[in-house]
Amino acid sequence: MKEIKAFIKPNRIQKIIDALTDNGFKSMTLSQSEGTGVFKTKGARPSLDFHVTDSPVVKLELVCQNEEAQYAIELIIKNGTTEEPGDGIIYVSSVEDAFQIKTGKSLKCSD
C-alpha cells in the first residue's frame, strides 16, 4: 500500500476532495498546516502560533493500494494546480502494515 501526503492551497482542497471522492477514494485525513516552502505569499508575516510563517496549507493524507496511487496523484495535481506559484507538494511512502485499533488485527499490507 502507499501513503500519499499532499500539502495543498486551502482554496483548492474542496475541489481535490470532490475529485478523489467521486473517483472512489473515500477515506482521507485533512489537517490545517503552515508551510515554510520556497514560495512566499505576498505580504506573508510570521505566524503568532509557530513563529515561522503564515503560508497556510492543508495536509491531505490518503492510504491506497499500490495500483491506485498514481491515479490519486494525478487527481490531486489536476485539481490542485493554479496559475500562481506555490501550489504545494506531494510525498508518497510505502506502508508496511496497518492495524485496526478496535481489534488489533493486522491488515497485512503488501507491496
Side-chain angles (χ1 to χ4, degrees):
M1 295 183 87
K2 298 293 183 189
E3 178 184 28
I4 298 170
K5 289 184 186 176
F7 294 85
I8 302 160
K9 285 184 172 183
N11 65 347
R12 303 305 286 181
I13 192 63
Q14 191 60 56
K15 188 173 180 182
I16 291 168
I17 292 168
D18 291 344
L20 289 168
T21 302
D22 290 348
N23 287 280
F25 298 97
K26 304 290 184 194
S27 299
M28 58 196 90
T29 301
L30 303 173
S31 307
Q32 290 183 338
S33 301
E34 290 191 21
T36 60
V38 174
F39 174 73
K40 301 294 183 212
T41 302
K42 194 174 200 177
R45 58 180 168 60
S47 167
L48 297 175
D49 296 327
F50 299 111
H51 306 291
V52 179
T53 181
D54 78 338
S55 298
V57 294
V58 176
K59 180 170 75 168
L60 180 146
E61 297 174 272
L62 167 72
V63 176
C64 61
Q65 297 297 323
N66 290 344
E67 59 274 9
E68 300 171 323
Q70 187 59 43
Y71 187 48
I73 292 164
E74 290 168 7
L75 288 169
I76 293 167
I77 291 170
K78 178 181 176 183
N79 292 282
T81 301
T82 69
E83 295 189 15
E84 301 296 323
D87 284 339
I89 192 162
I90 300 170
Y91 297 103
V92 180
S93 304
S94 293
V95 175
E96 249 182 74
D97 207 345
F99 296 85
Q100 292 180 336
I101 292 175
K102 184 175 231 35
T103 64
K105 180 181 174 186
S106 169
L107 300 177
K108 289 293 181 192
C109 305
S110 60
D111 284 324

